[in-house]
Amino acid sequence: MLVIGELINGMFRDVAKAIQNREVDIIQHLAEEQVNAGADALDINTGPYSKDPKADMKWLVESIQKATNVSLCLDSTRADVIEEGLKAVKSRAIINSTSADVEKMETIFALVKKHKAQVIGIAMDKSGVPNDKAKRIELASRIVAKAMDFGIASEDLFLDPILFPVNVGQEQEKEILESIREFRQLCTPAPNTLVGLSNISQGTNTRSLLNRTFLTMAVANGLTAAILDPLDKELMNALITAELILNKNIYCDSFLEAYRKR
Amino acid sequence: MELLKEKCVGPINELEIGSGVYAVKVGGQTCMPFLFQEGRMPHAPVTAVEILDCEPVDWPEDLVKSLGSRAKDPVVWAKDVLSETHANMLCVRLQSAHPDWVNRSSDDAVSVLKKIALAVDVPLIVIGCGDDEKDNDLMPKVSQALKGYNALLGVASQNNYKTITATCLADGHSLIAESPIDVNIAKQLNILVSDMGFDPRRIVMHPTTASLGYGMEYTYSIMERSRQAAFMGDKMLAMPFILFIGAETWRTKESKDGGVLGGVNWEIATAVSMLQAGAEILVMRHFAAAKSVSKFVELLMKRGR
C-alpha cells in the first residue's frame, strides 16, 4: 500500500502561512514527520490562498527535497503549476490529477510522458461527480484507454473513484468500494487504485474512526494507495493490520513494529 | 514471448564474515537462487565443514571412520578440512562443554578453540554446546577470545538470545538466529535481536535444518516464503540462511545404515535441495560430501557468468 501524506496542503492555515513566509523549517518538519510515521510519498498542494502557485510549488518541492527523498505527489488543478513542480523534482513524481475529460487527459498525460511520472486519474468529468458504480467504471475506463494511447504503463496509473463524505452521500460508499474492486479488473497488469481518505469523514465529529474503518474496507476491496494523515497512529495501525490479514506481510508478534522497520 | 518478471524491492543483506583474503561474502542477491535471468546473485553460496572440539563419540561409524585419527585432535582435523575439502569456512561446535558430554569448563573449551583459530585462515563459525545455561557462560568468552576475527557465532533462539546478542554486539561478530521451522518466529526473533541495537544486516537465519526424508520440504517452504517476503521489501526477513546439513543428515537411519555412500549421498542430496531453497551457508560433515557440493555450486554459478 502506497501511503501518501496529505499534510503539506495550503488549505491548512499554518501551512499556508509557512508558504507565504517561506518558513522552510515548518515545511521540512512536516515532511519528515510524515515520512517517519510511514508515508511513502508526500502530497503537495499550494492551497487556495496562494497568490503565485507556480513559485510556491517550486519552493515547496525544493524545500521538501532537502529534507527527504520520498516521491512527491504534485497536487494542483492547474497543469502549469504541476509542470513547475515536475521541473524541480529529483525522483519520480506522481501527478495529482486528471479528470476523464479528453482535453485535460491529453495535457496531463503529455506531462506524464515527458517527465516519466505517475498519475492519478479521477473518475469524474465536466458533467460532475458520478453517483453510481456504473458511471465511475465508465469514466475510469476512459482514463485507462487514454493512458494506453499515450503508452503509460497501467501500474503508473492510480484510479480514484472520488470519495463522498459519509454525511453527504452515504448511499455512495458501497458503490465506491465496489468500484475500487472493479477498477482493478480494467486491465492487466492491474492499475493502482487510490482515495483521498479524509473526504469520507469531512464535516463529521468522528473523523479518525470513519477514516480507518473505511480504509480497512477499501484495502480489502483492492485499494493500493491512499492520500491520508500518516500521523493518525490508529489509522496506520489499522492499515498495517488490514494488510497483514490479507497476507501481504508475514505475521510475527511485533507485526506493527516490523512494518515500521521496513 | 515476453518474460513477466516480478520486481525485487529489497535485496538479501550482503554480509562479510572473516577478514583478509579469506573473508567470505554471502547474500546480496535480488532473485531466487540461480535464476540469473531474473536478477543478480553476486556471491556463490559457501560451504563450511563442521568439526567438534573433542572426539565425536556418538557420530555414525561410517562418518567417524572417514575421519580416521584426525578426529582425536581438533587442530589436525581443522587443518585437514581445509587442505582436503577447500571449504570456504570452518565451523567449530563446542560440544565438549555440554554438561552431559565432557562438561569441559568454558575456559578450557575456549583455549582449544583458540588453538584451532590460530591454525586456520578461513572465517570461523562457532556454535555453543546446546545447553542454554552453559552457553550463556561459554559464548561471551568465545566472543571475546575471537575479537577481531569477525566470526559468525550461534545460536540465538527466541528463549535465549540476549547474552549472545550482547556479546556479538560488543566484539563485532555476526550472529545466527535460529527458529523452529516457523517463519513467524524467525521474523520475531530478528526483531528482538535488532531491538537490542544489533545491526539486522549482521544476522544469519537458521530456519532449522530438516533432512531429506525427514521434513526437508517444511524447511524448504519456510525459506521460500521468507525469501519472497524479503524481495517484496520485508527487511526483517532479508537475512542470509545457514543450514546445518551434516549434523541433520547423519542423524537419519539411511545415513547410519546405508554404508558410507548412503550417508554421503544423503548429505549431498539435502544440501543441493537447500541450495535451491536459498541457502547461503551450508555446513557439512563428511569431507567427500563437502567437496561434491562445492563443485556443484561452482557448476551452477557458471551459468550466471
Side-chain angles (χ1 to χ4, degrees):
Chain A
M1 172 91 182
L2 186 82
V3 173
I4 306 173
E6 70 180 5
L7 298 177
I8 302 180
N9 190 320
M11 179 182 80
F12 302 117
R13 285 263 159 81
D14 50 342
V15 176
K17 202 172 136 242
I19 295 172
Q20 202 184 345
N21 301 333
R22 294 291 187 256
E23 292 169 295
V24 178
D25 292 2
I26 293 182
I27 299 296
Q28 289 183 337
H29 177 68
L30 209 47
E32 282 165 352
E33 238 186 341
Q34 293 186 85
V35 171
N36 293 341
D40 306 298
L42 298 174
D43 192 74
I44 307 177
N45 187 319
T46 58
Y49 311 113
S50 172
K51 291 193 185 99
D52 185 354
K54 280 169 74 173
D56 289 350
M57 179 59 90
K58 183 168 182 277
W59 176 77
L60 280 171
V61 168
E62 287 170 353
S63 305
I64 294 164
Q65 283 183 154
K66 281 179 197 147
T68 170
N69 55 9
V70 298
S71 310
L72 300 179
C73 180
L74 309 170
D75 185 357
S76 175
T77 50
R78 280 173 50 182
D80 59 337
V81 175
I82 289 172
E83 182 149 36
E84 205 59 30
L86 287 168
K87 285 185 208 156
V89 290
K90 286 181 190 152
S91 55
R92 202 169 182 212
I94 305 167
I95 295 177
N96 187 6
S97 57
T98 180
S99 61
D101 295 303
V102 175
E103 218 170 275
K104 179 88 177 172
M105 285 193 283
E106 285 182 345
T107 312
I108 294 295
F109 287 163
L111 286 178
V112 170
K113 287 303 281 184
K114 186 176 167 195
H115 294 275
K116 295 191 174 68
Q118 295 181 298
V119 63
I120 297 170
I122 302 182
M124 66 177 283
D125 63 5
K126 276 181 187 149
S127 63
V129 176
N131 54 15
D132 63 11
K133 184 174 77 175
K135 184 71 183 166
R136 283 189 168 84
I137 291 164
E138 185 199 320
L139 291 166
S141 308
R142 228 189 271 168
I143 296 171
V144 169
K146 197 66 171 173
M148 280 181 171
D149 288 348
F150 271 80
I152 295 168
S154 51
E155 305 105 299
D156 291 335
L157 189 59
F158 293 81
L159 295 173
D160 181 346
I162 280 274
L163 268 195
F164 266 64
V166 70
N167 60 1
V168 173
Q170 200 175 347
E171 72 289 348
Q172 290 284 315
E173 310 306 353
K174 193 164 159 275
E175 302 271 319
I176 291 166
L177 289 168
E178 285 170 6
S179 301
I180 292 170
R181 185 171 284 274
E182 305 235 352
F183 284 0
R184 298 279 290 158
Q185 315 294 328
L186 286 177
C187 58
T188 309
N192 282 294
T193 50
L194 171 143
V195 293
L197 185 65
S198 302
N199 277 350
I200 187 92
S201 62
Q202 204 72 255
T204 70
N205 59 5
T206 44
R207 297 205 63 172
S208 178
L209 177 63
L210 278 164
N211 289 348
R212 67 175 179 268
T213 305
F214 183 84
L215 184 63
T216 55
M217 295 170 83
V219 167
N221 277 284
L223 188 75
T224 61
I227 302 176
L228 51 75
D229 176 6
L231 303 189
D232 181 344
K233 198 169 178 190
E234 287 301 318
L235 173 67
M236 292 300 287
N237 284 350
L239 169 62
I240 295 165
T241 310
E243 294 214 303
L244 181 85
I245 287 167
L246 290 174
N247 197 26
K248 299 227 167 109
N249 292 304
I250 288 182
Y251 173 82
C252 67
D253 288 345
S254 309
F255 68 89
L256 291 172
E257 187 192 340
Y259 182 90
R260 292 192 163 103
K261 281 194 175 199
R262 286 178 315 158
Chain B
M1 202 180 78
E2 196 193 349
L3 184 66
L4 275 179
K5 293 177 187 170
E6 289 278 350
K7 289 193 186 94
C8 163
V9 179
I12 301 307
N13 300 335
E14 189 177 70
L15 173 67
E16 186 174 73
I17 305 164
S19 55
V21 286
Y22 292 99
V24 298
K25 272 189 185 168
V26 293
Q29 66 271 43
T30 61
C31 59
M32 293 304 257
F34 311 107
L35 297 182
F36 301 108
Q37 69 277 31
E38 294 192 2
R40 288 183 308 114
M41 190 174 177
H43 306 297
V46 296
T47 46
V49 173
E50 177 184 337
I51 67 167
L52 301 187
D53 65 337
C54 57
E55 210 174 328
V57 289
D58 70 341
W59 282 17
E61 203 188 323
D62 287 324
L63 183 57
V64 174
K65 235 189 242 167
S66 78
L67 295 171
S69 62
R70 58 170 84 86
K72 292 186 191 305
D73 182 345
V75 174
V76 177
W77 191 356
K79 282 183 173 168
D80 284 359
V81 160
L82 301 176
S83 60
E84 291 178 33
T85 72
H86 305 293
N88 311 91
M89 302 178 84
L90 179 74
C91 174
V92 185
R93 189 181 291 269
L94 299 175
Q95 192 71 57
S96 71
H98 199 286
D100 300 340
W101 201 280
V102 186
N103 199 18
R104 198 179 272 166
S105 75
S106 298
D107 291 328
D108 289 350
V110 168
S111 88
V112 173
L113 175 66
K114 274 190 195 160
K115 282 181 200 153
I116 298 170
L118 284 173
V120 300
D121 299 312
V122 295
L124 293 174
I125 303 169
V126 182
I127 308 297
C129 69
D131 178 82
D132 281 352
E133 206 177 309
K134 186 68 178 274
D135 281 344
N136 286 342
D137 178 64
L138 171 66
M139 293 315 288
K141 290 176 177 162
V142 167
S143 172
Q144 283 155 27
L146 294 182
K147 192 167 183 162
Y149 274 79
N150 191 21
L152 176 61
L153 306 189
V155 293
S157 67
Q158 198 181 16
N159 298 323
N160 190 37
Y161 66 92
K162 289 184 179 165
T163 306
I164 193 164
T165 301
T167 195
C168 283
L169 184 61
D171 299 319
H173 300 299
S174 294
L175 177 67
I176 299 170
E178 182 176 273
S179 49
I181 313 198
D182 185 321
V183 70
N184 307 122
I185 293 176
K187 185 170 170 178
Q188 182 68 17
L189 180 57
N190 291 338
I191 290 174
L192 292 171
V193 167
S194 58
D195 275 351
M196 286 181 68
F198 195 84
D199 184 352
R201 287 168 302 180
R202 299 200 61 108
I203 300 175
V204 173
M205 291 195 281
H206 179 217
T208 294
T209 312
S211 163
L212 169 66
Y214 295 83
M216 182 180 73
E217 51 279 25
Y218 291 101
T219 300
Y220 195 109
S221 62
I222 290 292
M223 290 169 70
E224 202 174 37
R225 182 142 183 253
S226 168
R227 257 312 124 86
Q228 281 164 349
F231 290 146
M232 285 167 72
D234 193 333
K235 289 201 175 81
M236 283 300 126
L237 285 169
M239 292 75 181
F241 285 118
I242 186 169
L243 277 301
F244 293 93
I245 306 290
E248 200 52 39
T249 48
W250 285 96
R251 290 172 59 199
T252 64
K253 181 176 168 293
E254 288 80 357
S255 294
K256 288 174 182 163
D257 301 347
V260 68
L261 271 183
V264 169
N265 287 338
W266 216 258
E267 202 176 348
I268 294 170
T270 305
V272 299
S273 305
M274 290 298 102
L275 282 173
Q276 296 298 343
E280 272 82 15
I281 305 172
L282 297 164
V283 185
M284 313 293 290
R285 274 189 180 170
H286 199 288
F287 286 17
K291 273 197 280 191
S292 289
V293 170
S294 296
K295 211 168 186 183
F296 185 66
V297 169
E298 224 171 89
L299 276 175
L300 287 172
M301 290 304 288
K302 262 187 196 159
R303 293 168 49 240
R305 284 192 202 122

